[in-house]
Amino acid sequence: MVLTALVVIGLVLWEPGAWAASLAGAACGLLATMALLQLGLLLGALLWRVRVSLVVIGVGGEVRTWNAPHRRVVLRTVPVVMSVGLTSVRAPVRRRLWLTSLVAVLLTGLAVAACWVFPPAGAFGRGFAVAASAVLLHGLVPRRGAGMTSPGWFLFRLPFLTGRVVAEMEATPMVNEVSDALSAGDLDRAETIAGRLLDAHPTLLVAIGSQVAVLTMRTRYAEALHLVSKLVGRTDLEQRDMAFVMAEMASSTANAMEAGQLPVEVGMGAARRASGGAVQLGYPRYRCTATLAQLALLDQDTDLAIELAGQAKRTSESALGRADALATIARAQMAAGDNAAARQTLTEANELAGWMPRVAETSARLDIH
């Protein structure tokens, strides 16, 4: 926000009589450079064999979604921005991620330099070049949180990391094997790999998280919650790590209450506190909507549950996440007495992941009714 304010003030003071053209150019430069950074990540991922797990084009409601076994592509209403999710599946993980970010920064840097060497005429071109430079500068600042990691963090911090953070990254190939097995509904394979991963790295968050994911799909929610709860007292976790822990605790608590494995009067307050704590620690609020929708449904607020689950569906980052949100919508529709709408909702959920426990259980309950 500070950088944006400086750009706006600087352009207005630079040539007061042409501030409108300058700001129009700045807006175009902002969007173009943000998109170019993401395109650079895509190119770097292709060159260095890093998996692109998610591509989101635009903002607003979903226009179309393509779900592949290892990738989800979402086209939204207004295609003005793009975001890319990366995860390495081959060693050496650090080197591949560093080189991928380097490609993105070099490509964007060349484009920004060209804006100054061969600028479009007038205030529009000046605004474009200034904003493009600001976006690149902002991307080079090393930042890593629960919601995003800047290219600068990969370039300037990643090579010097040691200890648990490095081990977490190097374990991602096995973590992805667990995720791939879960996405395919192969729970036995996922459980086997997650068990090996946890045996080899019992203290790593990614190993514990993989085990929690398997337990969740096995409907062993109370066990998953117990495993997550033990992480709260750890002193070696950064704020970003704790944000993920709190978000997972809220989700596991909601699942356990919904399945009757934890009394609602015991878990509701804890789930809401964990969800709020995750957001305070930097966890993106939109990623909490699936859990908040479950909590609203447990509170018998079907309208709020449908609204929140609809948000979770629209912002889902995987086919399983979307199917889970659809299951919540269907359950809320059933609770409101609209079984016809619930059947329609479950059609897509079953196409995405009909084997998922919450989807299958909702379908079974609907068939009885």
Side-chain angles (χ1 to χ4, degrees):
M1 293 178 64
V2 173
L3 189 59
T4 301
L6 289 175
V7 168
V8 172
I9 293 172
L11 289 174
V12 171
L13 294 178
W14 195 334
E15 191 175 347
W19 64 268
S22 296
L23 294 183
C28 292
L30 170 75
L31 296 175
T33 310
M34 290 173 61
L36 188 58
L37 271 172
Q38 299 301 307
L39 287 171
L41 289 175
L42 284 175
L43 176 61
L46 178 64
L47 291 174
W48 303 109
R49 303 174 72 187
V50 172
R51 177 186 293 182
V52 178
S53 56
L54 176 68
V55 178
V56 180
I57 303 171
V59 294
E62 290 187 9
V63 175
R64 187 169 179 184
T65 302
W66 295 268
N67 291 300
H70 308 308
R71 185 175 300 111
R72 178 173 171 79
V73 180
V74 181
L75 176 63
R76 300 196 182 279
T77 308
V78 186
V80 293
V81 295
M82 183 172 69
S83 61
V84 175
L86 302 178
T87 175
S88 184
V89 293
R90 296 177 178 86
V93 173
R94 275 203 295 179
R95 185 185 304 168
R96 293 182 189 279
L97 291 174
W98 186 85
L99 289 169
T100 297
S101 295
L102 180 63
V103 169
V105 169
L106 288 178
L107 178 65
T108 307
L110 288 173
V112 170
C115 290
W116 289 104
V117 176
F118 309 104
F124 181 92
R126 181 169 54 253
F128 191 103
V130 169
S133 302
V135 170
L136 178 60
L137 178 63
H138 184 258
L140 289 175
V141 177
R143 303 182 316 281
R144 191 184 191 217
M148 60 82 64
T149 302
S150 70
W153 186 89
F154 285 109
L155 285 180
F156 305 126
R157 296 283 176 81
L158 182 59
F160 307 104
L161 289 179
T162 59
R164 182 185 58 80
V165 179
V166 175
E168 300 270 3
M169 284 194 169
E170 296 298 340
T172 54
M174 285 188 71
V175 175
N176 289 327
E177 288 186 54
V178 176
S179 299
D180 292 345
L182 289 176
S183 297
D186 191 346
L187 299 188
D188 291 338
R189 174 173 167 76
E191 188 169 12
T192 298
I193 299 171
R196 292 206 318 264
L197 179 59
L198 193 61
D199 289 341
H201 307 284
T203 63
L204 294 188
L205 291 184
V206 292
I208 297 170
S210 295
Q211 186 68 19
V212 168
V214 172
L215 290 172
T216 299
M217 291 303 174
R218 292 290 195 191
T219 68
R220 293 157 60 181
Y221 304 121
E223 293 180 54
L225 177 58
H226 178 69
L227 198 57
V228 176
S229 299
K230 293 193 297 184
L231 296 173
V232 176
R234 284 181 48 171
T235 58
D236 63 322
L237 302 182
E238 300 174 355
Q239 178 175 311
R240 174 182 183 272
D241 300 324
M242 192 54 67
F244 283 107
V245 169
M246 299 302 288
E248 186 56 54
M249 177 176 288
S251 176
S252 296
T253 303
N255 286 329
M257 288 189 294
E258 186 180 67
Q261 298 176 18
L262 179 70
V264 174
E265 58 272 18
V266 174
M268 183 63 72
R272 292 199 182 281
R273 286 192 298 272
S275 179
V279 172
Q280 289 180 355
L281 291 171
Y283 195 78
R285 187 177 296 276
Y286 71 88
R287 291 184 181 172
C288 295
T289 51
T291 298
L292 295 176
Q294 282 184 269
L295 298 180
L297 186 55
L298 289 166
D299 267 341
Q300 300 181 3
D301 190 341
T302 55
D303 290 339
L304 180 59
I306 291 173
E307 178 185 347
L308 291 171
Q311 295 176 25
K313 179 192 73 171
R314 291 189 294 273
T315 58
S316 58
E317 298 178 352
S318 69
L320 295 185
R322 186 178 178 88
D324 187 70
L326 288 165
T328 301
I329 295 174
R331 291 185 180 212
Q333 290 168 334
M334 290 173 63
D338 194 349
N339 288 352
R343 286 191 176 88
Q344 184 176 359
T345 299
L346 281 175
T347 298
E348 183 184 355
N350 281 308
E351 290 174 354
L352 290 170
W355 60 268
M356 277 184 68
R358 294 189 74 239
V359 175
E361 290 167 8
T362 308
S363 298
R365 285 167 51 186
L366 191 58
D367 288 341
I368 294 174
H369 288 78

